[in-house]
Amino acid sequence: MHFTFGSAYFLVLLFLLPCFLWCKQYSRIYYFPKLEWIRKQSPLLSWEPWLKILLFSLMVFALAKPLVYDTSGNQYKKGRDLILALDASGSMGQSGFDGKDRFKNKYETILKLSKAFTKKRFDDNMGVVVFGTFAYTASPLTYDLESLNYLLEMITVGLAGESTAMGDALMQSIRTLSYGEAKNKAIILLTDGYHNAGKSSPSAAVAKAKSLGIKIYTIGIGEKADYDVALLETIAKESGGKSHAARTASELSKVYEEIDALEPSPVRSENYLNQKLLTLFPLSMVFVLLLLWVLYPKRALLRRVIS
């Protein structure tokens, strides 16, 4: 648990505290026949200024909104751990996938739509695995989706080799997911080719994902003759996910919308998670002290009458 103030700027009022001791107060005129009857008394020795200081401080603390919050609430949000496994092999450099911009290659279009997808994930912990001849984690699981999208722009076609290692891509995705603590975990695998490289087989990767409760959604990019439709369908079915086909950029956008509906993300709150306001405590102390302050003169007067 951590302590902070919601409106800390009110604490500036505490600089006025010296006025309770040193600022000139309104003076009443008293007449005494003899000066020796008057005792000199420093304000530092009187209890009333210190009580006023305490009351004022407590009210300032109440205005500043003291609260405690649990950092684990921010670290482990309510969403799911989600990995985008993107095929960056040589075939992804082909153009014509986006009907609105024929000069864009498949990978550039996929990056654009993937970034639009991640922006909607709100409370998800997302990561990116890039694969070709080999697979590597381009971004570990993170809630900082803006940084993740910035990182996606740095990935180019052929960076991981020219072949397609789907098994390695899934294994690397599973390893990346192992660092997350969400109950729901999923992998979105995008590819336009056939499995023809890598150390791990897709079947072994799917078996491991299934044992860990990780769903795999597969998306075939381009014409169905270009990629292994049967393998992608098997991967999705065995893991509890769903297989999709996207011949064009518009179809891929619809696929992302469907996945977004199948794996919804909770809306992120802008406030602290698991926070607890403590305003009531200083206000309660102010009430008690004021009550005692009011009752004290009456008790003193009663004692004088009795005596």
Side-chain angles (χ1 to χ4, degrees), residues 80-266:
R80 51 186 42 75
D81 293 337
L82 187 61
I83 293 292
L84 282 176
L86 304 178
D87 186 347
S89 61
S91 59
M92 293 295 285
Q94 297 174 357
S95 58
F97 183 67
D98 189 347
K100 295 180 181 179
D101 189 350
R102 290 285 180 179
F103 292 100
K104 272 188 177 181
N105 60 40
K106 291 179 183 177
Y107 193 75
E108 290 172 338
T109 305
I110 286 172
L111 285 186
K112 179 182 177 182
L113 295 175
S114 296
K115 288 191 289 185
F117 172 74
T118 58
K119 288 180 180 179
K120 300 177 183 178
R121 299 314 299 171
F122 301 116
D123 232 13
D124 284 348
N125 200 11
M126 294 193 67
V128 176
V129 168
V130 176
F131 67 98
T133 306
F134 60 92
Y136 69 94
T137 300
S139 170
L141 291 171
T142 178
Y143 289 113
D144 189 355
L145 302 184
E146 290 186 8
S147 297
L148 185 143
N149 283 338
Y150 178 75
L151 185 66
L152 284 174
E153 296 177 359
M154 299 181 180
I155 302 169
T156 57
V157 174
L159 190 63
E162 299 295 322
S163 302
T164 306
M166 290 190 206
D168 285 0
L170 292 175
M171 282 295 190
Q172 187 64 29
S173 298
I174 293 169
R175 278 192 289 270
T176 307
L177 284 172
S178 66
Y179 294 97
E181 298 191 17
K183 292 182 179 179
N184 298 321
K185 299 176 185 282
I187 299 170
I188 300 176
L189 177 73
L190 295 92
T191 183
D192 71 338
Y194 287 78
H195 171 70
N196 56 13
K199 298 178 181 179
S200 303
S201 67
S203 58
V206 170
K208 187 171 183 178
K210 188 176 179 181
S211 66
L212 296 172
I214 300 172
K215 292 181 181 180
I216 304 174
Y217 293 89
T218 59
I219 305 176
I221 304 298
E223 299 295 332
K224 289 190 175 182
D226 297 336
Y227 58 87
D228 195 336
V229 178
L231 177 60
L232 294 185
E233 289 179 349
T234 302
I235 290 172
K237 184 178 179 181
E238 290 293 324
S239 64
K242 189 175 181 180
S243 181
H244 303 270
R247 292 183 303 164
T248 62
S250 59
E251 288 185 7
L252 178 58
S253 180
K254 292 178 181 178
V255 168
Y256 269 138
E257 289 178 4
E258 185 176 343
I259 294 175
D260 194 46
L262 290 172
E263 299 288 337
S265 176

Side-chain angles (χ1 to χ4, degrees), residues 13 46 61 120:
L13 295 172
S46 176
F61 287 142
K120 300 177 183 178

